[in-house]
């Protein structure tokens, strides 16, 4: 059963069919109830009219034997006195239920009212009162061999000569039963046909609506099998949810392709960067092993340091790519810069500062790496001066590192933040680094909710501007 309704199309068809079925059953029940109530009301009206017609004759002091009673098959009538005795009834009445008595023939004492010995009849006149209210009951009757169901109206009459009487008159329910039976038969035939039409239309419409999903599924399976992330799923020329799904899927594939390509390029560049210092270090060690007097200890140490720094950079990039959170420690940029500068002992040119106290929230270790990378970059390109400033700019804390070197061409000011990018290919790797410092600095800035851009310094060199959100400004 779960496999039978495992598809969206089957579940949609089943759901639509169930909803329509419930609606049809509710509507059919309401129609039948309304029809039955309406026809029952009509039967009540006929019974009440017949009972009041007989009551008016009794009030007019007409004898029981002269009562003009309706035909028994249309409205069987009983007249019962206050003792529950039948005093008048419709002709050909053979059986009756649902009234005050089951008797169908008046007793011998039921004689015409006021019947004198000479057969004189009383003068007609209004000698009684008819109750305004009538009570209704369900019952049945057999008249001249024909049985049927009836609604009986009971009307009470008070007369001077006959006492209190109750007239029971019936209204046939044959029309009601026939109409309800016909309506029910029509519903039993029509509802399944209508449900079949609804199910078929829903199946076809859902199939057509989900056809693009099948194409998307097939293309995604082909992409997975071929591992070709350059392929894209077809986008239907519509503006519905499926079209948005296709567009989102293609956007995801584009992002995945970019990420995979970036990862492949990163692995290739990292392997290339690691190969040179390792090869150089191996060569120096092999020469030293064969000729100890030729061992370049300083060069081996430098290569080891470069390997260590490169490994640390790669590890930090891996943590950043994995989504490492920077934390929320408060850092005073002015004190932080002074502390970091005090630990630098191998700078080529002097570093000048213009520091104003401003706080940021983040990882002190990651921010130290950003400052160190910016200072190392400035030291490599500066002629005689490097300047570090801190300040506030609205809700931002700003850290600037500038030099008086040759600067960065406008067309290269974004490319220098890519991993393993060097603008000066002629520069040796020992002097130029691995090309990861600025990439790490921008990634750290982004993880802290800030930005890192490069522009032109007043002295003509490069000015790197790090902007970070300032909790102090937000609180103010």
């Amino acid at each position: 059963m779960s496999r039978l309704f495992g598809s969206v199309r089957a579940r949609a068809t089943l759901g639509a069919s169930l909803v329509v079925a419930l609606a049809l059953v509710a509507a059919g029940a309401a129609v039948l109830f309304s029809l039955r109530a309406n026809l029952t009301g009509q039967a009540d009206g006929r019974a009440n009219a017949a009972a009041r017609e007989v009551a008016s004759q009794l009030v007019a002091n007409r004898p029981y034997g002269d009562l003009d009673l309706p035909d028994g098959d249309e409205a069987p009538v009983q007249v019962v006195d206050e003792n529950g005795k039948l005093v008048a009834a419709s002709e050909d009445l053979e059986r009756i239920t649902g009234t005050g008595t089951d008797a169908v023939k008046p007793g011998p004492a039921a004689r015409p009212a006021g019947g004198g010995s000479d057969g004189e009849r009383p003068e007609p006149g209004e000698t009684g009162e008819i109750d305004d209210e009538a009570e209704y009951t369900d019952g049945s009757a057999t008249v001249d061999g024909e049985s049927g169901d009836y609604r009986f109206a009971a009307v009470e009459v008070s007369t001077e000569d006959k006492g209190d009487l109750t007239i029971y008159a019936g209204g046939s329910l044959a029309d009601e039963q026939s109409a309800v039976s016909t309506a029910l038969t029509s519903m039993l035939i029509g509802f399944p046909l209508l449900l079949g039409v609804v199910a078929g239309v829903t199946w076809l419409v859902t199939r057509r609506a989900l056809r693009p999903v099948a194409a998307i599924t097939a293309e995604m399976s082909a992409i997975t099998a071929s591992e070709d992330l350059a392929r894209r799923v077809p986008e239907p020329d519509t503006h519905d949810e499926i079209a948005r799904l296709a567009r989102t899927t293609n956007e995801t594939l584009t992002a995945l392709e970019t990420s995979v390509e970036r990862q492949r390029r990163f692995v290739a560049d990292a392997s290339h960067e690691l190969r040179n210092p390792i090869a150089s270090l191996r060569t120096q060690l092999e020469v030293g092993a064969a000729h100890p007097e030729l061992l370049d200890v300083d060069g081996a140490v430098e290569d080891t340091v470069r390997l260590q720094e490169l490994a640390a950079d790669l590890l930090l990039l891996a943590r950043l790519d994995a989504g490492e959170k920077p934390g929320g420690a408060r850092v005073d940029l002015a004190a932080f810069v002074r502390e970091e500068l005090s630990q630098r002992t191998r700078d080529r040119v002097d570093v000048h500062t213009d520091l104003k106290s401003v706080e940021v929230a983040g990882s002190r270790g990651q921010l130290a790496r950003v400052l160190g990378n910016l200072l190392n970059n400035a030291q490599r390109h500066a002629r005689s001066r490097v300047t570090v400033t801190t300040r506030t700019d609205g809700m931002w804390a700003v850290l600037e590192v500038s030099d008086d070197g040759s600067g960065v061409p406008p067309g290269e000011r974004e490319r220098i933040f890519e991993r393993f990018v060097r603008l000066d290919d002629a520069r040796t790797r020992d002097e130029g680094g691995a090309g990861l410092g600025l990439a790490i600095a921008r990634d750290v800035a982004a993880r802290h909710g800030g930005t890192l851009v490069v522009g032109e310094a007043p002295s003509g060199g490069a000015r790197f501007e790090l902007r970070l959100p300032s909790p102090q400004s937000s609180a103010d």
Side-chain angles (χ1 to χ4, degrees):
M1 182 63 69
S2 60
R3 295 184 62 184
L4 178 61
F5 296 104
S7 67
V8 174
R9 190 190 318 168
R11 292 196 297 270
T13 301
L14 177 62
S17 300
L18 288 177
V19 170
V20 173
L22 292 175
L24 289 177
V25 169
V31 170
L32 291 177
F33 179 80
S34 176
L35 179 62
R36 184 188 296 274
N38 182 268
L39 294 176
T40 300
Q42 294 181 16
D44 289 346
R46 293 194 299 270
N48 184 54
R52 293 190 180 280
E53 175 63 26
V54 175
S56 64
Q57 298 179 42
L58 292 172
V59 169
N61 204 21
R62 181 175 294 187
Y64 296 134
D66 293 340
L67 292 175
D68 184 12
L69 301 179
D71 293 338
D73 55 348
E74 293 181 0
V77 174
Q78 288 180 316
V79 180
V80 180
D81 63 14
E82 57 189 4
N83 297 318
K85 180 180 179 180
L86 181 68
V87 295
S90 300
E91 295 182 2
D92 302 326
L93 181 62
E94 301 174 3
R95 183 186 64 83
I96 191 169
T97 61
T99 60
T101 176
D102 295 338
V104 294
K105 297 297 182 182
R111 299 166 58 181
S117 59
D118 297 332
E120 295 179 355
R121 296 180 179 180
E123 293 296 328
E126 295 293 335
T127 60
E129 182 180 357
I130 303 174
D131 194 350
D132 293 336
E133 299 293 333
E135 296 182 359
Y136 299 94
T137 57
D138 292 319
S140 62
T142 301
V143 180
D144 197 17
E146 297 290 335
S147 298
D149 294 327
Y150 292 85
R151 285 280 290 176
F152 289 101
V155 176
E156 295 183 356
V157 179
S158 297
T159 62
E160 293 181 0
D161 55 347
K162 302 180 183 66
D164 294 335
L165 302 173
T166 303
I167 299 96
Y168 294 96
S172 177
L173 294 176
D175 293 341
E176 179 253 359
Q177 293 173 344
S178 176
V180 171
S181 177
T182 301
L184 182 60
T185 301
S186 301
M187 291 178 184
L188 292 177
I189 295 174
F191 284 6
L193 295 177
L194 182 57
L195 280 178
V197 172
V198 170
V201 171
T202 304
W203 180 269
L204 294 177
V205 170
T206 308
R207 178 182 180 183
R208 181 178 181 85
L210 294 178
R211 190 174 298 166
V213 177
I216 293 173
T217 303
E219 184 62 24
M220 287 298 295
S221 298
I223 292 173
T224 303
S226 64
E227 298 183 356
D228 183 8
L229 295 178
R231 299 175 62 172
R232 297 293 181 266
V233 300
E235 296 186 13
D237 188 19
T238 57
H239 300 283
D240 55 10
E241 291 81 358
I242 296 178
R244 290 196 291 272
L245 171 64
R247 287 193 292 271
T248 303
T249 301
N250 285 334
E251 291 172 359
T252 303
L253 287 172
T254 300
L256 182 61
E257 180 186 15
T258 302
S259 177
V260 170
E261 182 61 29
R262 182 182 181 185
Q263 190 70 22
R264 289 173 178 171
R265 189 169 61 250
F266 176 77
V267 172
D269 292 339
S271 301
H272 183 71
E273 292 294 335
L274 288 170
R275 182 178 60 184
N276 290 332
I278 291 176
S280 175
L281 182 59
R282 177 180 178 180
T283 300
Q284 295 181 54
L285 293 176
E286 289 177 347
V287 170
H291 306 282
E293 70 280 2
L294 299 178
L295 178 61
D296 184 5
V297 177
D298 293 338
V301 171
E302 290 181 2
D303 286 338
T304 303
V305 170
R306 289 191 65 242
L307 280 174
Q308 185 180 16
E309 292 177 349
L310 181 57
D313 287 343
L314 294 176
L315 180 60
L316 178 56
L317 284 174
R319 293 204 307 265
L320 292 175
D321 289 342
E324 179 180 296
K325 301 297 182 182
R330 292 293 185 96
V331 179
D332 186 323
L333 281 186
F336 166 73
V337 171
R338 293 189 187 97
E339 181 180 351
E340 291 298 318
L341 289 177
S342 67
Q343 300 176 9
R344 297 178 65 88
T345 59
R346 302 175 61 184
D347 285 341
R348 183 174 59 87
V349 299
D350 294 336
V351 178
H352 301 267
T353 60
D354 180 11
L355 306 177
K356 293 181 175 59
S357 180
V358 55
E359 283 190 346
V360 296
S363 169
R364 186 181 184 88
Q366 292 184 11
L367 293 176
R369 181 64 65 89
V370 173
L371 178 59
N373 290 348
L374 294 179
L375 288 172
N376 291 340
N377 180 78
Q379 288 288 336
R380 281 195 297 268
H381 297 87
R383 294 189 180 94
S384 60
R385 184 184 181 92
V386 173
T387 304
V388 179
T389 63
T390 59
R391 58 185 174 87
T392 59
D393 185 7
M395 298 179 63
W396 296 96
V398 181
L399 169 65
E400 291 183 353
V401 178
S402 57
D403 60 70
D404 58 354
S406 58
V408 181
E412 302 290 345
R413 289 178 181 174
E414 281 299 315
R415 197 169 75 88
I416 61 173
F417 292 106
E418 298 178 7
R419 298 175 182 182
F420 300 105
V421 169
R422 300 181 184 84
L423 297 186
D424 188 0
D425 293 333
R427 184 188 303 135
T428 65
R429 294 185 183 275
D430 291 338
E431 296 175 352
L436 291 176
L438 295 180
I440 291 175
R442 172 165 278 191
D443 284 351
V444 171
R447 294 292 177 184
H448 283 73
T451 60
L452 176 62
V453 297
V454 61
E456 184 175 350
S459 59
R463 180 182 64 187
F464 287 85
E465 182 181 86
L466 172 66
R467 285 178 172 263
L468 299 174
S470 174
Q472 187 178 32
S473 299
S474 300
D476 294 342

